[in-house]
Amino acid sequence: MKIIMLGAPGAGKGTQAKRIAAKYGIPHISTGDILRANVKGDTELGKKAKTFMDQGLLVPDELVIDMLMDRIGQDDCKNGYVLDGFPRTIPQAESLDAALAKAGEKMDMAIDVDVPDENIITRMGGRRACVNCGATYHVVFNPTKTEGICDACGEKLILRDDDKPETVQKRLNVYHEQTQPLIAYYSKAGILKSVDGTMEMDRVFDAIVRIIGE
Ligand code: ADP
Ligand code: ADP
Ligand code: ZN
């Protein structure tokens, strides 16, 4: 099963994608996580990507597309995957479709996690991330057992640089301009599903399971 998560930054794509991955036994592929790992490791890709990410802008398509194609070509992707944060532009979606079509495959569904901009701002301010294992928390909605420490691996949590309020507003603008058109793109392709992302996390996941099937 091949699933795409759509939605604004902070809508809960990552939170839900991790749960989907665990329930259905497919890898969770987050282009944001892969890029942050490259920035942390100071790779060539990381150096190029960092300036864009810090400004709340998208990393250029050609860099991200190659990186994603590499990842979905790996062995653990044979039975499908859940994509979180890709595609984010129409050219990325077209490249993905073209690559899959070549292999006689296609995406099964694109799930849009719908959350209005007002809710996003509060969510991002409270988001805490573990750069070591990729876990995500929220100071109010999903707190850790010990403040500032990852429940999963014990590392210190960070407030992402791009989660500061000024940058969040910019990322929302980028989302509306470049990423939101994908909703129409997948609707036209007949694979769009929508869930109300303002509900609490467990309810959002229930709605997603009803869409995918038990
Ligand atoms: P969020 O989960 O908050 O939406 P991500 O972790 O997915 O944020 O992405 C963080 C940043 O990484 C983005 O603001 C962008 O700079 C870059 N990025 C991630 N995925 C892509 C992509 N598919 N295309 C271009 N840039 C991307
Ligand atoms: P995205 O991957 O779309 O950027 P995340 O999954 O990282 O979003 O969620 C953004 C923040 O909001 C995190 O701090 C997360 O814990 C929190 N969050 C996610 N889903 C919900 C929800 N349904 N209700 C309240 N907070 C949520
Ligand atoms: Zn961790």
Side-chain angles (χ1 to χ4, degrees):
M1 185 162 30
K2 301 189 198 59
I3 302 173
I4 293 170
M5 302 304 289
L6 293 176
K13 300 181 296 298
T15 302
Q16 299 301 330
K18 288 188 186 97
R19 295 184 183 201
I20 294 171
K23 181 172 171 75
Y24 298 97
I26 49 178
H28 163 218
I29 302 182
S30 157
T31 44
D33 285 350
I34 302 176
L35 287 167
R36 277 185 292 278
N38 275 277
V39 170
K40 202 177 171 203
D42 206 25
T43 66
E44 276 311 306
L45 172 62
K47 279 182 213 155
K48 287 184 195 150
K50 187 179 186 327
T51 42
F52 296 98
M53 294 170 79
D54 285 349
Q55 294 179 70
L57 298 173
L58 294 184
V59 175
D61 283 340
E62 59 275 20
L63 297 178
V64 186
I65 290 170
D66 283 353
M67 179 184 96
L68 193 274
M69 294 306 162
D70 245 40
R71 180 63 189 88
I72 62 176
Q74 288 169 19
D75 271 353
D76 63 335
C77 291
K78 291 251 175 331
N79 294 321
Y81 39 79
V82 51
L83 298 184
D84 161 19
F86 187 100
R88 257 182 160 94
T89 63
I90 297 280
Q92 289 181 17
E94 289 171 345
S95 302
L96 177 63
D97 281 348
L100 290 176
K102 245 190 202 167
E105 296 173 2
K106 59 175 187 50
M107 291 306 307
D108 296 301
M109 59 183 91
I111 303 176
D112 179 42
V113 183
D114 187 23
V115 177
D117 287 9
E118 305 85 81
N119 305 39
I120 298 288
I121 312 275
T122 28
R123 281 199 191 176
M124 298 297 235
R127 171 156 69 179
R128 295 294 179 272
C130 175
V131 192
N132 185 49
C133 77
T136 307
Y137 304 91
H138 190 282
V139 290
V140 178
F141 305 124
N142 182 22
T144 47
K145 293 194 181 75
T146 312
E147 201 189 311
I149 302 296
C150 179
D151 286 348
C153 78
E155 277 292 312
K156 259 204 185 136
L157 300 178
I158 60 147
L159 170 60
R160 279 166 45 179
D161 281 337
D162 61 348
D163 278 353
K164 311 239 154 80
E166 323 73 91
T167 320
V168 169
Q169 189 52 58
K170 184 122 162 248
R171 288 164 64 202
L172 278 171
N173 298 343
V174 167
Y175 168 75
H176 290 301
E177 276 166 32
Q178 305 194 55
T179 306
Q180 211 169 15
L182 292 175
I183 294 178
Y185 179 94
Y186 288 112
S187 168
K188 211 171 151 203
I191 62 165
L192 181 74
K193 311 281 172 188
S194 274
V195 293
D196 174 4
T198 63
M199 301 183 291
E200 59 172 278
M201 292 172 206
D202 291 350
R203 298 290 82 75
V204 177
F205 189 59
D206 291 343
I208 290 176
V209 170
R210 278 197 296 274
I211 289 170
I212 303 179
E214 277 297 336

